[in-house]
Amino acid sequence: MTDPALLGPADVAAAAAVLEGIAVRTPVEDLAAGFAVKREDLQPVGAFKLRGAFHAASRLDAATRAAGLVTHSSGNHGRALAWVARRLGVPCTVVVPDDAVAAKVDAMASLGARLVPVPADDRESAAAEEVARTGGAFVPPYDHPHVIAGQGTVGAEILADRPDVEQVLVPVGGGGLISGIAAALRGSGVRVLGVEPELAGDAAASKRAGERVRFPRAQVAATAADGLRATVLGELTWPHVRDLVDDVVTVDEEAIADATRHLHACGVPCEASGAVATAGYRALGDADRARRTVAVVSGGNVDPAWLARVLAVGSGMPTSG
C-alpha cells in the first residue's frame, strides 16, 4: 500500500508557483522518433538542482535565512545553493567531499560559497557542525520534502509539454529528483524508471531487497557520474522510490560514456550524470523503447578532463591518462 505521507502533484504545483521566474522552464527536445530529452543542463547553474535549492530556501523564515545557508555537496547542489544565497543576499557554506570534481568546486567558489573540504564520509557531520557554528539553516541536497517538491517541477513540465508521454527515465543519486518527478506524475499512468551507474547501484538493489541497501563509498566513488555518488537513498526519498517508481536499472561506465558521446553529437552538452538516463534508454529492450519516452538530462557541468577522454575515444584519437 502506498504511504499516504508521500508527496503528490499538489505539492509540486505549489513549488512551481514559488519557482516561477526563478527556474528556467527547460525544453523537451526530440532526438529520435518517440524519444526526447528534458534539458536541465540549460538551468542558470547548469543543472536541475536550482529548483529544489531555491524552493527549500524560500520556505525558510527570513531570520533563519539571514544567518546563512549550509549544505554538503559534491558540486551541483552546492553551486545551486550558492546561486540562491547570492540572489537572496545571504551567506552560503558548502561542505565539499574530497573526491569532488575540481571544476565543480571552482564553480561553487566563484559564486561566493565558503567551502569546507572534508573526507567524503565526514560531510554530513561536518555540515551539522557548520550549522551549529554559524546558526545557519541546513538545506539538504535531496532528503527534504521542499527539495523533493522543487525537483518535481521537472516532471510536471514534462507532462504539460508532452501529455502523451508514456515513460520518463530519471538518473538516481540520493533520490530527490526521481522522488519529485514520481510525485508529480503520481496517478498519471506514466511509467517512471530510474537509472543509475552499476558502481552506484544502491537504488536498484534497494528496490530488489525491499529495504534500503548501502553501497561501499570506494566503489561508488569510482563512477564517472559524480553527481550520482550517493551510497544510499535518503530516509524520505526511499519510500518515494519504493512506492512510486516502477523500476530502477543500472548501466555500466562504457554505456555512460557512449550516451555522453551520443548526446554531445546531438548538441546536448551533458555531464556524465546527465547522460545516465539516456544510457538507460539505449539499454532497454525493444518493447520498452517503443514507449514514448522522455529522458532527463540532469546537468551539463562536466568534468573537462573526463569529457576530453570520452570524446577522443569517439573520434578514434589516442587517449592518455
Side-chain angles (χ1 to χ4, degrees), residues 3 12 26 55 59 66 96 103 111 136 146 152 218 237 286 313:
D3 185 342
V12 176
T26 55
H55 182 237
R59 296 286 188 173
V96 182
L111 285 168
H146 293 155
T237 59
D286 291 343
V313 168

Side-chain angles (χ1 to χ4, degrees), residues 61-97:
D61 66 80
T64 301
R65 218 168 35 224
L69 306 176
V70 179
T71 196
H72 58 78
S73 172
S74 61
N76 285 343
H77 175 65
R79 182 176 180 177
L81 196 65
W83 186 94
V84 169
R86 173 176 282 188
R87 186 179 180 94
L88 296 175
V90 301
C92 179
T93 299
V94 182
V95 173
V96 182

Side-chain angles (χ1 to χ4, degrees), residues 57 70 148 219 231:
V70 179
I148 292 171
Q219 176 180 323
T231 59

Side-chain angles (χ1 to χ4, degrees), residues 12 38 151-160 168 177 180-182 184-185:
V12 176
K38 174 67 166 168
Q151 319 302 29
T153 57
V154 174
E157 290 174 10
I158 290 172
L159 189 59
V168 176
L177 178 60
I181 289 176
L185 300 179

